[in-house]
Amino acid sequence: PNTPGLRELQNEEELSALLEGIQQTRLQLEDRHGYRRPLALKLSPDLDARAIPVIAGLLIRHQVDGLIATNTTLDRKPVEGHRFAAEAGGLSGAALRERSRDVLAGFHRELGDEIPIISVGGIDSAEEARQRFDAGARLIQLYTGLIYRGPGLVNDIVRSL
């Protein structure tokens, strides 16, 4: 998220070219080694809603095995007024929660169960994990929630499910 121009790769033309190159390399490696490596693409929560159906189509066309929704956000509105709000870099945790959930739901509407979605971003409770699964996630990743809630968060989530 801190690499200049990285998010430009999510534009249709650039993403299609990137996925095409990866797919060709995967096929070559599969032929050579007899094993197909799974590929999951992690996307920004800052996507325009109109990009979701386009990207979903690219994921299917290029045989991507999984989608990780989402990476960190560059949006500073969730931390407006905080003394560190202007710092560079992507935001994670609670500042990302709602947008990550929305992107997850948008991709699930487009993909259904055709491509598994891994949800990440602001998952810090069993209730939030449940909301992600209800919105279409097949798996979840925990990062910031572990920092604030500790490893017991995993146990809480598993018991609640």
Side-chain angles (χ1 to χ4, degrees), residues 3-151:
T3 304
L6 180 66
R7 290 169 189 244
E8 301 306 313
L9 291 175
Q10 295 176 147
N11 295 331
E12 182 177 7
E13 207 170 289
E14 289 87 351
L15 182 56
S16 185
L18 176 66
L19 292 175
E20 179 64 34
I22 291 171
Q23 180 64 1
Q24 287 175 6
T25 301
R26 276 187 2 161
L27 290 172
Q28 291 168 355
L29 291 171
E30 183 179 352
D31 287 345
R32 184 181 310 153
H33 301 289
Y35 179 77
R36 182 177 188 270
R37 290 255 178 228
L39 172 66
L41 180 68
K42 191 172 199 178
L43 293 169
S44 166
D46 302 329
L47 290 171
D48 184 289
R50 295 170 295 188
I52 291 175
V54 172
I55 292 173
L58 291 174
L59 297 175
I60 293 166
R61 183 171 51 161
H62 293 287
Q63 301 174 7
V64 173
D65 300 294
L67 170 65
I68 304 170
T70 63
N71 206 341
T72 57
T73 183
L74 296 178
D75 183 8
R76 292 301 194 250
K77 288 180 198 150
V79 293
E80 227 169 35
H82 189 279
R83 66 185 176 138
F84 297 116
E87 298 244 338
L91 294 176
S92 61
L96 176 62
R97 182 180 300 125
E98 188 176 328
R99 185 66 192 140
S100 184
R101 202 183 308 133
D102 291 345
V103 171
L104 162 66
F107 273 106
H108 188 257
R109 275 191 299 276
E110 295 297 323
L111 297 169
D113 291 328
E114 190 163 349
I115 294 177
I117 303 172
I118 303 163
S119 186
V120 61
I123 303 171
D124 60 359
S125 68
E127 174 57 32
E128 186 62 32
R130 167 57 53 210
Q131 287 184 40
R132 301 303 176 96
F133 287 119
D134 290 346
R138 297 264 290 279
L139 297 167
I140 59 171
Q141 282 183 356
L142 304 175
Y143 289 110
T144 308
L146 287 174
I147 293 169
Y148 290 104
R149 299 276 317 276

